[in-house]
Amino acid sequence: MDFIVHNILYIVLLFAGLVTFLWLMLFRERLNMTWYAALILSIIHVFYGVACVKVFAFMEGSGIGSMSIYGAVFFMPVGYFIGAKLFKRPLKDVFDIFAVPMIFTLLCSRVNCLVSGCCYGTLIGDSPFRWPTRESEMLFYVIFLAIVAPKVRKGGMDGKLYPIYMLSYGIFRGINEFFRFSDRTYGIFHLSHIWCVVAILLGLGIILYMRTREQKVLPPQTPAAA
């Protein structure tokens, strides 16, 4: 148990990397890649994700070694965009397919929070119990993945998964944040509330933009002959 506790971050990242590899293997034909390319991308995906959350936390002023999930939410799409353009793969497929293991990795990161004892909720009234903020976020990820993963498998998200995730997570986290402990508060609001608003606006804006483009692509309707 001591070994698990002291190495929980490496354990969950290794598990997330394995799941990422297995998931990418399901899409070898759609992404036109070999098994070793899937393995390399899985490793890069995990390391890039860790870099994103650490860099964002440092930018927030949390110090070296801290992590912020919103770093992955905001920075991972940059890597997906560059990778899709560099290797000439469809943007919508890259974003939909890679978003699933990214969200799963964030789910695993909350396991690290549970074991490490960070990111906990505030006390419930005068009781010794705290709001289950980490557990509720894990439940959010499980439900979200259960809904969208089968649709991605069938090719039904059409590039909309990531903005839907940003919108829904921003809303969920914005509510959940009120029950989390934070030493960086502005009245009843936390610093993370700012990122929640940004995520909501970005997600909603991208969804509306994509719908507008789809409407322009649709052929004009001709009236039926009398």
Side-chain angles (χ1 to χ4, degrees):
M1 286 301 298
D2 288 340
F3 174 82
I4 294 176
V5 171
H6 290 132
N7 297 278
I8 184 61
L9 179 60
Y10 302 108
I11 294 172
V12 296
L13 289 178
L14 179 63
F15 181 64
L18 176 61
V19 172
T20 300
F21 171 69
L22 295 176
W23 175 257
L24 293 182
M25 288 293 289
L26 295 176
F27 299 91
R28 288 175 57 190
E29 293 185 3
R30 193 187 303 183
L31 293 176
N32 189 25
M33 63 180 178
T34 61
W35 70 266
Y36 53 84
L39 178 61
I40 295 172
L41 286 173
S42 301
I43 297 172
I44 293 175
H45 192 262
V46 171
F47 277 91
Y48 178 63
V50 172
C52 288
V53 297
K54 285 185 175 292
V55 168
F56 194 80
F58 180 78
M59 292 171 60
E60 284 183 325
S62 301
I64 299 175
S66 300
M67 293 184 288
S68 174
I69 276 182
Y70 268 117
V73 176
F74 295 141
F75 292 163
M76 293 297 281
V78 178
Y80 298 156
F81 181 84
I82 294 175
K85 291 298 183 181
L86 185 63
F87 295 101
K88 299 180 180 179
R89 299 297 191 271
L91 277 174
K92 64 178 184 179
D93 287 340
V94 171
F95 272 82
D96 283 348
I97 292 170
F98 279 87
V100 171
M102 189 214 76
I103 297 169
F104 181 80
T105 303
L106 295 181
L107 167 61
C108 292
S109 73
R110 285 308 180 199
V111 176
N112 173 60
C113 294
L114 280 174
V115 177
S116 302
C118 63
C119 305
Y120 45 81
T122 57
L123 291 171
I124 303 176
D126 296 326
S127 72
F129 304 104
R130 295 184 179 273
W131 291 102
T133 52
R134 297 166 298 191
E135 295 84 351
S136 59
E137 186 164 333
M138 292 169 66
L139 181 61
F140 166 83
Y141 289 135
V142 170
I143 294 174
F144 189 86
L145 288 173
I147 294 173
V148 302
K151 294 183 179 180
V152 174
R153 188 76 177 93
K154 297 176 181 178
M157 293 302 296
D158 200 29
K160 297 185 179 69
L161 173 54
Y162 208 94
I164 290 175
Y165 162 68
M166 294 182 75
L167 174 61
S168 58
Y169 180 70
I171 295 173
F172 166 81
R173 179 70 181 270
I175 298 172
N176 198 39
E177 191 65 27
F178 286 111
F179 302 95
R180 292 184 62 185
F181 173 81
S182 175
D183 55 0
R184 307 181 69 178
T185 60
Y186 307 91
I188 63 173
F189 298 100
H190 303 167
L191 176 62
S192 292
H193 278 112
I194 298 176
W195 312 134
C196 294
V197 173
V198 173
I200 292 171
L201 294 177
L202 280 174
L204 182 60
I206 296 172
I207 291 172
L208 294 177
Y209 172 75
M210 294 179 71
R211 287 185 176 179
T212 301
R213 287 195 60 183
E214 288 175 353
Q215 291 174 357
K216 290 181 178 180
V217 172
L218 290 175
Q221 298 293 326
T222 56

